[in-house]
Amino acid sequence: MIQKLTITAPDDLHLHIRDEAMMQLVLPHSAAQFRRATVMPNLKPPVTTTELALAYRNRIANALPTGTAFTPLIPLYLTDKTTGAEVRKAYESGVSRAMKYYPAGATTNSDSAVTKIENIREAIDVMIELGMPLLIHGEVTDPAVDFFDRESRFIDEMLDPLHRAVPDLKIVLEHISTKHAAEYITAASRTLAATITPHHIALNRNALFAGGINPHNFCFPILKSEDDRLAVLAAATSGNPKFFLGTDSAPHGRSNKERTGGFGGLYSAFAALPMYAELFERENALDKLEPFASFYGADFYGIERNRDTVTLIKEPLTIPDYFEVDGDQLVPMRAGDTISWRMA
Ligand code: DOR
Ligand code: ZN
């Protein structure tokens, strides 16, 4: 049995690190495992311009432990007003290697997002020219749609028409949660790919209710059925280059999780890579971890693969019950559980 696994340094291509005290806490956790990350722009106010992205990148650089090599790539948060020139500027400055599309109202801080995809047509044309992927939060927001059908309906009603209209645009369907998404991406052309989180392959929707209602497992897209989980897990461990690592680690303090109207998001970044390793090992697919975590995402984005390595060791790691942050607590995914891998 494998006791030690050295792989090319991985990238987390979907990560929330927030700002200020929360960033100070969570950034070192990600930087200890990943060399680069797509750092999501849904701050308040959102990161909608190159200038705001560069300022955010500076704040991240200042919060990094000294001597840590960690590069944030910050997609601009597209709005109805994002111009093609702004997309080009973000690319040329080096701060962005992708752009982010949230349907208005879909998730945390998505109120200023795009209302109609036609409104970002100019931005899309520049992205095609530059080979920049569009990162999509794929959920419809119509309150009449069943909460568990939001992703499937988005694929059929929004994603598929968009992909047909602009087949040359690279699209990443973020944090897929359904069998339908796994099948759709598998069957689609090479310009479509998807990120997969640890929570959507570790948990099904029972985790929302087991032992009483558990808001710490509430996220967007919401956890789905066991059938869905197994299909997404199979996609992650398949060795298909359309599927790659993006944790969607999304920290919120306990006070914002354990209340009416509490926020969506699991904090998985503390032990994300060890959790993926455990899940891949259980599927007899440890050999697929490196390409999933370190090759396929970089290749799809069109950025160089990292050159150095990280090492995982098969030794028990107990996830803390919580971390203290700014007078509040952050409860991580699998709090209190012991997992079977840790970083060397
Ligand atoms: O659960 C989620 N939380 N999903 C998202 O898409 C956003 C994220 C957040 O920012 O809290
Ligand atoms: Zn996210």
Side-chain angles (χ1 to χ4, degrees):
M1 228 209 291
I2 297 178
Q3 298 297 331
K4 194 173 161 189
L5 184 65
T6 296
I7 63 171
T8 302
D11 300 315
D12 182 351
L13 294 177
H14 186 133
L15 175 66
H16 300 266
I17 54 177
R18 317 298 191 203
D19 228 328
E20 301 177 341
M22 187 64 90
M23 174 160 77
Q24 294 288 342
L25 171 69
V26 301
L27 179 59
H29 297 168
S30 286
Q33 301 162 66
F34 298 96
R35 196 65 67 244
R36 293 177 295 205
T38 296
V39 174
M40 288 295 155
N42 61 332
L43 304 181
K44 253 184 168 165
V47 180
T48 51
T49 64
T50 307
E51 215 181 325
L52 289 169
L54 289 168
Y56 189 30
R57 189 171 72 177
N58 276 339
R59 298 199 296 283
I60 295 169
N62 291 333
L64 271 176
T66 33
T68 324
F70 180 80
T71 304
L73 301 169
I74 306 170
L76 300 189
Y77 181 117
L78 295 173
T79 72
D80 286 341
K81 298 199 177 73
T82 309
T83 62
E86 191 64 44
V87 171
R88 193 181 302 280
K89 188 173 163 193
Y91 181 84
E92 285 171 356
S93 77
V95 76
S96 302
R97 280 292 168 267
M99 293 283 135
K100 179 74 195 237
Y101 168 74
Y102 290 102
T107 185
T108 313
N109 298 341
S110 62
D111 301 340
S112 40
V114 176
T115 55
K116 270 199 293 205
I117 199 95
E118 298 87 78
N119 296 341
I120 53 165
R121 191 52 220 241
E122 192 193 296
I124 286 176
D125 286 339
V126 175
M127 293 170 63
I128 293 172
E129 182 199 321
L130 299 172
M132 253 180 144
L134 179 65
L135 315 180
I136 296 189
H137 183 110
E139 291 195 284
V140 296
T141 56
D142 177 353
V145 171
D146 190 289
F147 217 86
F148 292 88
D149 294 338
R150 284 173 148 214
E151 181 177 276
S152 292
R153 291 281 292 269
F154 183 91
I155 291 170
D156 297 345
E157 294 165 18
M158 312 272 299
L159 178 60
D160 192 57
L162 175 68
H163 178 49
R164 284 171 197 276
V166 281
D168 295 333
L169 175 66
K170 290 199 250 178
I171 296 175
V172 183
L173 183 60
E174 299 287 332
H175 42 56
I176 60 168
S177 64
T178 57
K179 184 175 185 182
H180 183 50
E183 290 176 349
Y184 179 79
I185 297 294
T186 301
S189 81
R190 281 181 23 199
T191 50
L192 269 181
T195 52
I196 294 180
T197 74
H199 45 286
H200 290 106
I201 57 176
L203 305 171
N204 65 33
R205 61 196 179 195
N206 283 358
L208 290 161
F209 309 111
I213 194 148
N214 186 345
H216 295 285
N217 289 333
F218 175 62
C219 59
F220 299 99
I222 197 156
L223 298 172
K224 301 298 192 307
S225 70
E226 179 64 0
D227 251 16
D228 290 308
R229 181 187 78 84
L230 291 173
V232 178
L233 177 63
T237 56
S238 65
N240 183 336
K242 286 165 158 282
F243 299 102
F244 49 83
L245 188 156
T247 61
D248 197 16
S249 175
H252 293 287
R254 189 191 283 278
S255 62
N256 276 321
K257 293 289 290 177
E258 297 179 1
R259 64 169 169 85
T260 303
F263 294 154
L266 278 84
Y267 181 58
S268 59
F270 173 70
L273 198 60
M275 289 195 290
Y276 282 112
E278 186 177 71
L279 289 155
F280 275 59
E281 184 180 42
R282 212 177 287 154
E283 299 306 300
N284 273 321
L286 257 190
D287 59 320
K288 306 287 188 346
L289 182 66
E290 181 181 45
F292 172 80
S294 316
F295 298 164
Y296 299 153
D299 295 352
F300 190 81
Y301 271 54
I303 57 180
E304 269 187 61
R305 295 177 181 179
N306 295 312
R307 286 160 199 255
D308 56 337
T309 59
V310 299
T311 298
L312 289 139
I313 297 182
K314 183 115 189 235
E315 271 177 17
L317 171 72
T318 300
I319 312 279
D321 290 333
Y322 58 84
F323 301 94
E324 300 283 353
V325 57
D326 206 15
D328 202 346
Q329 294 176 352
L330 172 62
V331 178
M333 178 179 169
R334 300 196 56 188
D337 282 359
T338 298
I339 63 172
S340 52
W341 289 86
R342 63 172 184 80
M343 302 304 294

